[in-house]
Amino acid sequence: MIKSMTGFGRFEYQQDFRKYTVELKSVNHRYLDVNIRMPKKLNFFEAQIRTLLKKYATRGKVDIFITCEDSSEGQVSLKYNPALAAEYVKYFRQMSGEFGLENDMRASTLARCQDVITMEEQSEDEEELWKGLRPALEGAFGQFLETRKTEGENLKKDILEKLSNMEGLVEQIESYAPDIVTQYRTKLEEKVKELLGDTQMEESRIAAEVILYADKICTDEELVRLRSHISHMRDTLEEADEIGRKLDFIAQEMNREANTILSKANSLDVSNLAIGLKTEIEKVREQIQNIE
């Protein structure tokens, strides 16, 4: 199924006293570019998160936001540094004696001295953390994938509609070809009569000139190739694998044929139709940039 590179997913998972929330969004990018924001205690899961994401996306700029709310007791513990406290006491006494100051030191005063008492986070069980984080990731990634598929189907419908418009323009350009050659022959004969008067010009000379002109403005090959590219793009849109780059290449080939048709255009009507073709192709290319 065709997938867009634009997507969003959010999922919460409760594991005992921890609640994990994973939210992610993505936009267009040539490759898979992942940015993860999460608590420090989850940093060692970064490689696993990236590996898991690759099962759901291969292209796009993806931003992942992870939070972990821990309501358990004993998340942090106090650590007392007796050696440092002794140093503080030693110097307080020394200053009291040197300057004749009252030593009004209390335990509470000493506790406020830097690094005498510190808070440390308790070590976490990595396996338990991953048991809670992984379901949250898979839930969010699953939603993310579904939004990409939904948007991909909308892109597919829009591109197919534009391909139909292009086929209509091709048919109109084809319909002008016979009349253009006939009109040129008529104008050529009128011009010869005007220049030569009653003098007759050989029919073969006029026919040869008409053939040269017809060959110069002929767009049959370009129109056949353009139809082939349109058919190829329709078939590609039904493929299951990542097709964004392939579609972009086909669109480039379409644009090349449209440019040639425009350069050969010998009437305002054909020029306008060729410009219309280029406009539709550019719209298709813009939509393809959103496809994975």
Side-chain angles (χ1 to χ4, degrees):
M1 179 179 287
I2 186 172
K3 291 181 288 185
S4 167
M5 280 192 283
T6 303
F8 176 82
R10 188 178 189 279
F11 195 82
E12 293 182 356
Y13 181 77
Q14 186 75 40
Q15 179 203 39
D16 299 328
F17 45 79
R18 295 191 187 96
K19 184 173 77 170
Y20 298 89
T21 303
V22 177
E23 185 175 301
L24 72 160
K25 58 182 180 179
S26 69
V27 294
N28 304 347
H29 199 275
R30 292 182 64 188
Y31 309 104
L32 183 61
D33 180 16
V34 184
N35 179 47
I36 306 174
R37 296 183 183 177
M38 57 185 168
K40 287 179 62 177
K41 65 182 178 181
L42 301 179
N43 281 347
F44 41 74
F45 295 124
E46 181 172 347
Q48 291 165 269
I49 294 170
R50 290 178 182 273
T51 300
L52 184 61
L53 178 64
K54 288 178 181 178
K55 296 180 180 180
Y56 298 83
T58 57
R59 292 176 66 198
K61 187 179 187 305
V62 185
D63 291 311
I64 304 176
F65 306 91
I66 303 173
T67 60
C68 177
E69 299 176 27
D70 195 334
S71 58
S72 65
E73 297 180 359
Q75 297 178 53
V76 295
S77 62
L78 295 178
K79 184 177 180 181
Y80 168 52
N81 189 333
L84 184 60
E87 287 287 312
Y88 276 115
V89 171
K90 172 185 173 182
Y91 286 109
F92 285 158
R93 289 173 177 169
Q94 183 178 336
M95 288 188 294
S96 176
E98 288 179 356
F99 300 104
L101 299 174
E102 180 184 357
N103 189 351
D104 58 351
M105 182 177 54
R106 296 172 179 270
S108 58
T109 306
L110 184 60
R112 288 195 293 270
C113 292
Q114 186 173 355
D115 295 333
V116 171
I117 295 179
T118 56
M119 287 191 298
E120 291 185 348
E121 289 190 5
Q122 297 293 323
S123 59
E124 300 279 0
D125 185 331
E126 292 184 19
E127 186 176 341
E128 283 300 310
L129 285 173
W130 182 243
K131 284 181 180 179
L133 178 58
R134 178 162 187 159
L137 290 168
E138 290 177 336
F141 290 174
Q143 289 185 12
F144 172 69
L145 180 60
E146 289 306 311
T147 60
R148 281 186 147 203
K149 287 181 178 179
T150 300
E151 180 63 20
E153 283 302 303
N154 293 334
L155 289 172
K156 178 181 175 180
K157 291 177 183 177
D158 186 65
I159 291 173
L160 288 173
E161 181 180 339
K162 288 176 171 55
L163 292 177
S164 296
N165 293 340
M166 290 165 59
E167 286 176 325
L169 292 169
V170 168
E171 290 176 0
Q172 291 182 62
I173 292 173
E174 288 175 332
S175 69
Y176 277 96
D179 292 338
I180 289 173
V181 175
T182 301
Q183 291 171 12
Y184 177 73
R185 182 187 181 96
T186 301
K187 289 180 181 179
L188 181 61
E189 290 176 343
E190 291 175 354
K191 191 68 175 178
V192 169
K193 289 180 180 178
E194 180 184 336
L195 294 175
L196 302 180
D198 295 332
T199 306
Q200 296 295 318
M201 186 176 180
E202 293 182 10
E203 176 64 25
S204 60
R205 293 282 302 278
I206 294 177
E209 180 65 26
V210 171
I211 290 172
L212 287 173
Y213 177 76
D215 185 62
K216 181 180 178 181
I217 66 165
C218 180
T219 58
D220 289 353
E221 291 184 10
E222 289 79 14
L223 292 172
V224 168
R225 285 195 292 266
L226 191 51
R227 282 187 179 277
S228 175
H229 294 326
I230 292 172
S231 176
H232 190 191
M233 185 169 285
R234 287 183 186 277
D235 293 339
T236 302
L237 287 169
E238 300 301 325
E239 295 179 6
D241 297 329
E242 291 75 25
I243 59 175
R245 291 189 178 92
K246 186 176 180 179
L247 290 173
D248 190 48
F249 175 77
I250 297 171
Q252 290 179 40
E253 295 300 306
M254 286 180 172
N255 194 54
R256 184 177 290 111
E257 303 302 337
N259 282 333
T260 305
I261 292 169
L262 182 59
S263 69
K264 289 184 175 182
N266 64 322
S267 72
L268 182 61
D269 290 331
V270 174
S271 293
N272 288 338
L273 290 170
I275 291 171
L277 264 177
K278 284 179 61 63
T279 301
E280 289 297 318
I281 292 170
E282 186 58 32
K283 290 178 181 178
V284 168
R285 290 189 70 179
E286 289 177 0
Q287 294 291 52
I288 288 171
Q289 302 310 310
N290 298 309
I291 296 176
E292 185 176 70

